[in-house]
């Protein structure tokens, strides 16, 4: 039982998410413009699409839409990752899923910290995609040692943040004052630092190995590199971005436009070139540039089952194979056409997705179902109750990420066409060891949410089970 005087982790997360967004708007004003564009577009979509608005009302997503965003950070050591895990735990965020990006030429592997229960997600769906550098993939020994030295020397948390994390673990929670202080202290870890921790030549060496390595190793901390609001119509926002002076990347990542959106579609605006200061061995500062921070938008659709995901992966791969080259600005129309053609094989109707067990859903009792409670046949099946309109269903929104899309986002913001090749195998076990905990299987979470909604229906209709 959580002590009465402790603030709910949900509230701490909601406050932290707001504080992070305010900080990023100050740091990257284009992100503020993007938020406005997304909010406007969402209002328009909701006013025109009453079925969508109704569905979001029933699931409760309407309430979280305007607060919905994810961010991303990259860290360098197991110790940093472990402390982050403890920091996110204060806000009720757990590591969900394992993403290996080395296959896509990015020397990191990742997880997403987020709330796991639908009731908690409703209060604040804030997520942080968190990547750990795989230092062992740097082949140049001297450079690897330099990176290690720089990482060992830094502490990315304030002393007070560390104290409050420990206090949270001992007490089992934080009171109002401590929670407020925690938000301010935790935020410091994600702040941008213009002053690098390396000389211009060290930066160049790290950068030449991989831009991402310089981004992770050459600064005081894991600055938040983007924040992503959720739009209800990504095609519209993508089209409107240039008019607002926000240059989008060439293609929207993920599935094509559909009536029933699945998983996740994402696009971003290109990273900014920012002035930084390098620190030379004699203590002098020299001006340089670093490109890392950007803005992103996403449209979230229904979460897929393992079967649905396998179909998605197959169709996406087939479309990419048919294109034969990476999707770019020039071939984007052809790529979208190929995607649309291949995804004809993916049912675009919620009931078909449900009956074929390609996607997860939440079930809700209807007014007429509740009114008929006394007379409902005990042995009714779910399908019978749906046919009687005693139960309706709504798509369960995808709360996670897509490694292929993530790699596309990484690449677009690393600039150039640098595609490193890493022979390393995917190493979930090594990641979990660095994290100091296992990552949660996202499919199990979706299944539990679906199951809880069925149980709630059974209870509301006076049935033993469903
Ligand atoms: C993370 C990229 C992944 C997403 O939305 O897929 C991501 C990064 O660039 O650090 O945020
Ligand atoms: Ni992102």
């Amino acid at each position: 039982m959580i002590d009465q005087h402790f603030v709910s982790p949900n509230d701490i997360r909601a406050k932290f998410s707001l504080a992070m967004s305010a900080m990023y708007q100050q740091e990257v004003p284009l992100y503020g413009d993007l938020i406005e564009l997304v909010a406007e577009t969402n209002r328009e979509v909701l006013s025109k699409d009453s079925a969508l608005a109704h569905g979001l009302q029933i699931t409760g997503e309407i309430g979280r839409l305007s607060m919905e965003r994810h961010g991303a950070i990259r860290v360098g050591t197991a110790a940093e990752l472990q402390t982050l895990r403890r920091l996110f735990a204060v806000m009720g965020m757990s590591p969900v899923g394992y993403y290996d990006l080395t296959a896509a030429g990015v020397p990191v592997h990742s997880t997403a910290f987020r709330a796991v229960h639908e009731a908690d997600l409703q209060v604040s769906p804030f997520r942080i995609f968190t990547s750990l550098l795989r230092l062992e993939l740097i082949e140049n020994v001297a450079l690897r040692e330099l990176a290690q030295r720089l990482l060992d020397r830094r502490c990315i948390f304030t002393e007070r943040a560390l104290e409050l994390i420990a206090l949270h673990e001992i007490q089992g929670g934080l009171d109002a004052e401590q929670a407020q202080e925690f938000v301010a202290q935790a935020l410091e870890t994600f702040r941008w630092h213009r002053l690098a921790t390396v000389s211009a030549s060290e930066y160049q060496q790290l950068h030449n190995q991989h831009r991402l390595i310089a981004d992770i190793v050459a600064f005081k901390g894991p600055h938040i590199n983007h924040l992503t609001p959720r739009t209800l119509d990504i095609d519209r926002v993508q089209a409107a971005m240039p008019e607002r002076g926000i240059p989008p990347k060439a293609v929207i990542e993920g599935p094509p436009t559909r009536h029933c959106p699945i998983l996740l579609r994402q696009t971003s605006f290109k990273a900014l070139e920012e002035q930084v200061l390098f620190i030379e061995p004699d203590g002098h500062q020299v001006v340089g540039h670093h490109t890392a921070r950007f803005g992103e938008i996403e449209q979230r659709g229904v979460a897929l089952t393992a079967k649905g995901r396998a179909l998605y992966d197959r169709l996406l791969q087939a479309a990419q194979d048919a294109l034969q080259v990476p999707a770019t600005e020039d071939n984007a129309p052809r790529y979208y056409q190929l995607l649309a053609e291949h995804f004809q094989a993916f049912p675009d109707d919620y009931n078909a997705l449900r009956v074929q067990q390609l996607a997860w859903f939440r079930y809700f009792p209807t007014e007429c179902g509740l009114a008929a409670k006394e007379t409902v046949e005990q042995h009714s099946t779910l399908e019978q109750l749906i046919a009687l309109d005693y139960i309706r269903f709504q798509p369960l929104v995808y709360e996670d990420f897509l490694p292929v899309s993530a790699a596309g986002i990484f690449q677009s913001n690393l600039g150039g066409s640098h595609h490193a090749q890493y022979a390393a195998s995917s190493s979930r076990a090594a990641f979990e060891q660095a994290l100091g905990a296992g990552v949660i299987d996202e499919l199990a979470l979706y299944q539990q949410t679906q199951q809880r909604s069925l149980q709630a229906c059974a209870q509301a209709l006076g049935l033993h089970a469903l």
Side-chain angles (χ1 to χ4, degrees), residues 70 72 226 228 266 296 298 401 409:
H70 81 251
H226 67 282
T228 305
Q266 298 182 313
E296 181 190 43
E298 64 191 7
F401 294 85
I409 299 281

Side-chain angles (χ1 to χ4, degrees), residues 54-65 122-123 362 364:
H54 177 70
L56 295 178
Q57 204 95 48
I58 289 183
T59 60
E61 275 164 81
I62 200 100
R64 66 180 232 189
L65 197 59
Q122 216 68 279
V123 182
R362 280 167 79 189
F364 299 89

Side-chain angles (χ1 to χ4, degrees), residues 298-321:
E298 64 191 7
Q299 181 172 356
R300 291 189 169 263
V302 66
L304 299 184
T305 60
K307 181 181 168 196
R309 181 53 189 268
L311 180 58
Y312 167 81
D313 286 338
R314 187 159 64 71
L315 298 178
L316 186 72
Q317 191 59 52
Q320 285 173 349
D321 289 351

Side-chain angles (χ1 to χ4, degrees), residues 36-177:
E36 254 171 51
L37 175 59
V38 166
E40 264 171 48
T41 312
N42 286 353
R43 273 197 299 275
E44 277 167 33
V45 172
L46 285 172
S47 72
K48 290 204 182 106
D49 189 341
S50 56
L52 178 65
H54 177 70
L56 295 178
Q57 204 95 48
I58 289 183
T59 60
E61 275 164 81
I62 200 100
R64 66 180 232 189
L65 197 59
S66 62
M67 325 182 265
E68 183 134 0
R69 56 185 73 89
H70 81 251
I73 53 166
R74 306 145 181 178
V75 293
T77 67
E80 291 177 350
L81 183 65
Q82 277 192 32
T83 308
L84 277 175
R85 172 174 60 75
R86 295 169 53 219
L87 178 147
F88 287 128
V90 176
M91 301 186 242
M93 297 161 82
S94 308
V96 179
Y98 171 72
Y99 304 86
D100 177 24
L101 294 165
T102 44
V106 183
V108 301
H109 45 183
S110 322
T111 190
F113 287 96
R114 66 168 176 90
V116 296
H117 191 291
E118 60 277 13
D120 299 322
L121 286 160
Q122 216 68 279
V123 182
S124 171
F126 184 58
R127 330 164 173 81
I128 293 276
F129 192 89
T130 304
S131 301
L132 174 66
L133 176 63
R134 296 181 72 176
L135 257 187
E136 74 276 12
L137 298 181
I138 304 182
E139 275 160 18
N140 178 328
V141 179
L143 197 64
R144 191 166 64 225
E145 285 172 2
L146 168 67
Q148 189 70 61
R149 262 201 317 281
L150 289 162
L151 291 169
D152 287 345
R153 190 161 86 187
R154 74 178 186 182
C155 179
I156 64 172
F157 305 97
T158 67
E159 243 171 75
R160 187 64 186 144
L162 294 174
E163 281 168 17
L164 288 164
I165 292 169
L167 192 64
H168 171 267
E169 288 166 352
I170 295 164
Q171 297 181 154
L174 295 180
D175 68 24
E177 202 179 315

Side-chain angles (χ1 to χ4, degrees), residues 283-299:
H284 262 90
Q285 295 178 359
V286 295
V287 175
H289 292 98
H290 180 67
T291 317
R293 301 191 305 156
F294 59 101
E296 181 190 43
I297 50 166
E298 64 191 7
Q299 181 172 356

